[in-house]
Amino acid sequence: MLDLARLRALHAVHVHGSVAAAAAALGYTPSAISQQITKLERETRTTLLERKGRGIALTEDALQLASAAQELLAIVERTETTLEERRGQPTGVLSVGAFATAARGLLPTALAALAREHPTLQTRLSEVDPHISVDLVAKGLIDLAVAHDWDIAPLPAPDGVQHAPIGDDHCDILVPAGHPLAARPAIRRADLAHEPWICQPPGSVCHDWLVRTLRADGHEPDLRHQAAEYHTQLALVAAGLGIALVPRLGRGPLPEGVVALPLTPVPTRRLYALWRTGAARRPAIKAAVQALRDAWAAEPDAPGPAPEPDASPRPAPEPDAPRPSPRPAH
């Protein structure tokens, strides 16, 4: 009989394209994933991976197994959901993916609350990019994702994934204390036309938002320094090397020599919890969504629950009433 854990490893390699990426997604070492694939090759008496340039590719037999693994994993998930639902209590393992500032500023409080209230539920957190985490949910590699989008860049999500809003995270412009704008009560986008920027690298949601917004106002941004970590950006601002747009969630106290200024209109990113439709009845999903909302409500700078995308503000739905995710932006 084929081992489900080994099939899961092969499926992860298929989804992510490499052993290293599969290991990162599943929380194992690359050598552990390689060992699982080797054992599966012995079980099936066939070659599953082959060299292709500097990387690897799945053989035809491996692709068949990966497809079967996806079906089996879906069956297992439905069965686990049914059993957990019958117990009426969150149990088992809940894997969560979250972007960096949510992992730092939101998840510790939420996961600690889940541990206190549901001791039989084991949570596992991975820090991942929002768009990657949505894909991981859709393909069954994590159970729940905390992701975000911006007003001009809606979060794409495939069929079979549902969501609930958590809250709206406001962003500020950070400038050195001696900057000419530092004494203003608020600033406009036009004031930033010729400023040197410190931002995230290309391909990140925040970088894309900044570039698209400034270009829409008729200005080509001067991107002087790029750093993935907001704390690094803060250090660069404190050194007087430019200005930065930084969300409040997970930001922490500002270092000496840095001033936060509100920008008009306020840049906002919307936070969501996302999960597969097949797991929507699972008590652990409902409990996790509620814990995330409670953690958000406890944030000192939280402006309140997020309204539905493209809709008038209204109260957020209960976590036991999931809805389809936003459709991809075209």
Side-chain angles (χ1 to χ4, degrees):
M1 182 178 294
L2 297 176
D3 184 271
L4 185 61
R6 294 165 194 167
L7 289 173
R8 188 189 298 274
L10 179 66
H11 176 249
V13 172
H14 174 52
V15 169
H16 294 281
S18 72
V19 170
L26 295 179
Y28 297 110
T29 63
S31 62
I33 296 297
S34 295
Q35 290 173 16
Q36 294 280 40
I37 301 298
T38 299
K39 291 177 181 178
L40 188 58
E41 286 181 324
R42 288 201 297 263
E43 284 181 345
T44 58
R45 300 179 183 179
T46 185
T47 300
L48 300 177
L49 302 181
E50 57 187 8
R51 287 288 175 185
K52 188 174 182 180
R54 295 185 177 180
I56 59 169
L58 272 67
T59 63
E60 288 297 324
D61 289 337
L63 291 173
Q64 289 293 327
L65 279 175
S67 177
Q70 184 170 351
E71 295 179 18
L72 289 172
L73 292 171
I75 293 171
V76 169
E77 179 182 64
R78 290 195 297 269
T79 303
E80 291 175 339
T81 297
T82 300
L83 290 173
E84 186 177 324
E85 188 179 28
R86 291 183 63 179
R87 296 188 190 102
Q89 294 291 330
T91 59
V93 177
L94 183 75
S95 54
V96 182
F99 59 95
T101 49
R104 180 169 61 248
L106 192 63
L107 269 299
T109 300
L111 297 184
L114 286 173
R116 288 193 304 270
E117 297 170 12
H118 308 289
T120 59
L121 177 65
Q122 181 186 123
T123 57
R124 297 178 180 176
L125 173 65
S126 300
E127 184 181 304
V128 289
D129 180 81
H131 292 311
I132 295 175
S133 65
V134 173
D135 189 54
L136 295 181
V137 168
K139 293 174 177 174
L141 294 175
I142 59 175
D143 299 313
L144 184 76
V146 178
H148 68 76
D149 67 8
W150 297 76
D151 49 1
I152 64 171
L155 179 70
D159 290 330
V161 175
Q162 296 178 312
H163 85 291
I166 298 173
D168 285 351
D169 186 18
H170 291 174
C171 305
D172 298 312
I173 296 294
L174 303 187
V175 303
H179 194 281
L181 296 174
R184 294 193 184 184
I187 54 179
R188 301 167 300 169
R189 291 174 182 173
D191 300 326
L192 307 173
H194 305 294
E195 294 292 336
W197 284 92
I198 299 163
C199 66
Q200 290 191 323
S204 64
V205 179
C206 297
H207 178 280
D208 295 346
W209 183 92
L210 177 64
V211 171
R212 289 175 61 182
T213 299
L214 293 180
R215 285 176 177 169
D217 288 343
H219 308 296
E220 185 64 27
D222 178 7
L223 307 181
R224 295 284 181 91
H225 307 285
Q226 298 178 12
E229 286 290 333
Y230 283 123
H231 285 179
T232 304
Q233 294 182 28
L234 291 177
L236 293 170
V237 173
L241 298 174
I243 68 172
L245 176 72
V246 178
R248 295 176 184 174
L249 177 64
R251 187 172 70 193
L254 295 177
E256 185 177 354
V258 175
V259 176
L261 301 173
L263 179 63
T264 305
V266 179
T268 300
R269 60 179 186 175
R270 297 164 295 196
L271 275 62
Y272 300 98
L274 301 101
W275 61 91
R276 287 179 300 284
T277 302
R281 305 188 321 274
R282 189 179 173 192
I285 294 292
K286 299 176 184 180
V289 172
Q290 188 59 53
L292 287 166
R293 286 177 169 165
D294 292 344
W296 177 258
E299 279 289 307
D301 293 323
E308 277 298 292
D310 303 319
S312 300
R314 57 181 180 272
E318 291 302 314
D320 58 352
R323 297 173 308 285
S325 291
R327 299 295 299 145
H330 296 290

